[in-house]
Amino acid sequence: MTTIRVLLVDDDPLVRAGLSLMMGGAGDIEIVGECADGGEAEALVDRTRPDVVLMDIRMPSVDGLTATERLRARADAPQVVVLTTFHADEQVLHALRAGAAGFVLKDTPPAEIVEAVRRVAAGDPVLSPAVTRQLMRHAAGTRADTRQARARDRLAALNDREREVAVGVGRGLANAEIATVLFMSVATVKTHVSRILAKLGLNNRVQIALLAYDAGLLDE
C-alpha cells in the first residue's frame, strides 16, 4: 500500500492537532510535517516532500493564496487542498485559479477529509458539481467582460472536441459521464483532458471548469 505524505499548514495549533489525530487513524496517510504560516511552507516542502498539502487560506504573515501560488509554480509541485470555513469565498476562488486541487471545510466530518486527501493524491479534484456551481455563482458578480475575452482567447487553442470536453468538465461531469454524453471512450476523454491541461498551461480540472465558466461556455 502506497503511503500518502501530507503536510499541514494552519496557524491554529488546535486545527493542526485535530487534523493530525484524524489522519493518524488512516493506515495509508502519514503526516510528514506542519507549520503555522504560508511563509514556512516552501522550505518544509523541500525537507518533507509531501504528496498533499492541507493549506489554511487565512494566516497572519503569508496567506494560503500566496503560498499556494508559490508551491504550484514549482516543477515538483505537491497537490494543495485549501482549508476554509467558507463555502464560497473570493480567496478560495483565487486559490483554485492558482492551482489548488479543491477545498474542504474545516467542519467537514473526519472521514470525508481523509477521503478528500486520498482523492487528491490520486489526481481527482475535491469539488462536487454542487460546490462547483456555487463557486461559479460567487464568481459571477465580479466577472468582467475583459475576463471573458481573455478566457475565450485562451480556449481558442482547443479543437472542437477538446472544447466539448472542457464544457463537460466545467459542468462537473466525471470522465465516464462525459464519455457517455459525447459518445467516446473514457480513455479518450482522459486523453482530451490531458491535452487541454497541456495546451492551456493549467494544473487540474478545477482550472478548466473556471476557465470554461469565465468564457461563458456553460451558458451556451
Side-chain angles (χ1 to χ4, degrees):
M1 180 173 60
T2 302
T3 300
I4 303 168
R5 299 170 61 81
V6 176
L7 173 66
L8 307 177
V9 185
D10 195 298
D11 64 337
D12 188 336
L14 291 179
V15 170
R16 297 199 307 273
L19 289 169
S20 293
L21 184 62
M22 72 175 68
M23 299 289 173
D28 58 338
I29 296 176
E30 177 187 3
I31 302 298
V32 296
E34 61 179 69
C35 60
D37 188 77
E40 305 170 48
E42 280 195 278
L44 201 51
V45 164
D46 285 336
R47 292 200 301 271
T48 63
R49 300 294 178 183
D51 301 302
V52 178
V53 177
L54 288 178
M55 180 80 72
D56 187 15
I57 200 70
R58 290 181 172 87
M59 289 176 284
S61 180
V62 176
D63 63 30
L65 171 60
T66 301
T68 296
E69 290 176 334
R70 291 175 180 174
L71 290 180
R72 292 302 300 168
R74 297 162 59 108
D76 57 345
Q79 296 292 343
V80 177
V81 176
V82 173
L83 292 167
T84 181
T85 55
F86 298 92
H87 285 270
D89 178 83
E90 188 63 28
Q91 285 186 298
V92 174
L93 279 168
H94 287 171
L96 295 175
R97 294 185 191 282
F103 73 91
V104 294
L105 298 174
K106 290 186 177 181
D107 60 358
T108 298
E112 293 182 22
I113 294 181
V114 170
E115 185 57 29
V117 169
R118 290 178 177 141
R119 286 176 53 193
V120 167
D124 184 14
V126 184
L127 276 183
S128 69
V131 170
T132 300
R133 287 192 293 271
Q134 186 177 17
L135 284 169
M136 299 303 187
R137 287 195 297 270
H138 184 77
T142 58
R143 186 181 68 182
D145 290 341
T146 53
R147 177 178 288 176
Q148 184 178 78
R150 287 197 301 267
R152 286 180 177 266
D153 285 344
R154 292 186 68 184
L155 289 171
L158 305 182
N159 62 37
D160 290 343
R161 211 56 168 160
E162 290 165 348
R163 188 183 180 93
E164 290 173 338
V165 171
V167 170
V169 172
R171 288 178 175 153
L173 301 181
N175 287 340
E177 294 171 316
I178 296 173
T180 299
V181 171
L182 298 181
F183 303 102
M184 61 176 67
S185 70
V186 174
T188 301
V189 173
K190 290 180 179 179
T191 297
H192 282 313
V193 170
S194 296
R195 287 175 178 168
I196 292 168
L197 293 171
K199 283 186 175 182
L200 302 181
L202 302 177
N203 289 304
N204 55 46
R205 296 169 70 97
V206 176
Q207 290 182 320
I208 295 176
L210 290 170
L211 191 60
Y213 180 82
D214 284 345
L217 296 187
L218 307 188
D219 300 326
E220 297 176 356

